[in-house]
Amino acid sequence: MSRVSLEGQVVVVTGGARGVGELLARKLSARGARIALVGLEPGELKRVCDRLHTDGDWWHADVADHEAMSRVAAEVKERFGKADVVVANAGVAAGGPFTDSDPVAWRRVVEVNLVGGAVTGRAFLPVLLESRGYFLQIASLAAITPAPMMSAYCASKSGVEAFAHCLRAEVAHRGVRVGVGYLSWTDTDMVRGADQDDVMRELRQRLPWPANRTYPLGPAVDRLVAGIERRSPHVYAQGWLRGMQAVRGYLPGLIATVGQRDMRRFEPRLAGVTKGLVGAGGAADEQARAGRD
């Protein structure tokens, strides 16, 4: 597919305070895009914005709040005149057995990842229809294969993948393209936060290669940038993820067989698994919600 120049284009990135969102914003800016950042950490968003190569701005908003995101979409259009690309990247994660999980944290993973992606799409689609733009929903390896101890994250990422596929069929005839971005374990605050739990880290290390590796952030984001330039329907941050699509139908049965063995092995230690949101982004989300209560 031919590439679209990002020079002068306006790109909205949710979850832009750190990790994938931060580096994606910086790399898109280096290619000439103007950047609108959305997230829950004003100080971090300002820091990222100040390091951009081009014109940028930031908005403090919860991606699961429809009224807030509608306001952001209107203000982005007023500030920049348009939006050409929207990347629904904001995400949080929680681990541990479903039966012992914190119901508030479990629900919040679905709210941010799935509902937040849909709310972002709903808020910005009128602007994207005007620009005949591109909506990229960030999913995960977790959308392709289920995994024990990750029920909320897998459910939410499977959901956003399905949402994006549905949306693509609905808006293609109106000139808007929709893509799904897939990432395996990538070196971010979220993954490092999950690895602080001994059981979660050991479970991940027992996955078959290449799913048991943590991949560097830079090359993964480079692939996302290339996907945005091509307006790709599928973007794979690690090349081997493309091959997973061909075998995904066999994975639930395989994971069920292997997973029950691992769960039996780790059962004496499961009570100590962290039950809240993981990583610095998870802590920021919890702090922001506590401030609203």
Side-chain angles (χ1 to χ4, degrees), residues 10-12 76-77 80-86 124 127-128 131 133:
V10 177
V11 182
V12 180
V76 167
K77 183 180 179 183
F80 294 103
K82 62 174 182 174
D84 299 288
V85 178
V86 175
F124 279 97
V127 192
L128 291 176
S131 65

Side-chain angles (χ1 to χ4, degrees), residues 22 27-28 46 85 92 99 111 209 212 216:
E22 174 185 357
K27 285 181 176 287
L28 292 169
K46 183 179 184 305
V85 178
V92 293
T99 52
E111 285 177 347
W209 183 88
N212 60 355

Side-chain angles (χ1 to χ4, degrees), residues 189-200:
D189 289 331
M190 180 189 293
V191 171
R192 289 191 294 270
D195 278 351
Q196 289 178 1
D197 187 287
D198 292 341
V199 173
M200 296 298 293

Side-chain angles (χ1 to χ4, degrees), residues 1-3 134 136 179 221-236:
M1 298 177 64
S2 61
R3 298 196 180 200
Y134 178 63
L136 177 63
V221 172
D222 286 339
R223 284 177 173 265
L224 295 180
V225 171
I228 291 170
E229 290 176 326
R230 295 187 177 100
R231 304 296 198 257
S232 298
H234 301 92
V235 186
Y236 299 98

Side-chain angles (χ1 to χ4, degrees), residues 54-97:
T54 53
D55 185 23
D57 211 336
W58 59 271
W59 280 262
H60 177 257
D62 183 341
V63 294
D65 184 332
H66 176 67
E67 290 185 2
M69 290 301 290
S70 295
R71 171 183 56 80
V72 169
E75 292 179 2
V76 167
K77 183 180 179 183
E78 182 179 359
R79 168 69 168 79
F80 294 103
K82 62 174 182 174
D84 299 288
V85 178
V86 175
V87 183
N89 166 74
V92 293

Side-chain angles (χ1 to χ4, degrees), residues 178-198:
V178 177
V180 183
Y182 299 90
L183 293 91
S184 184
W185 303 93
T186 304
D187 187 20
T188 62
D189 289 331
M190 180 189 293
V191 171
R192 289 191 294 270
D195 278 351
Q196 289 178 1
D197 187 287
D198 292 341

Side-chain angles (χ1 to χ4, degrees), residues 232-254:
S232 298
H234 301 92
V235 186
Y236 299 98
Q238 290 83 28
W240 59 268
L241 288 170
R242 185 185 301 273
M244 296 291 289
Q245 297 284 20
V247 299
R248 64 185 299 172
Y250 300 98
L251 296 176
L254 175 62

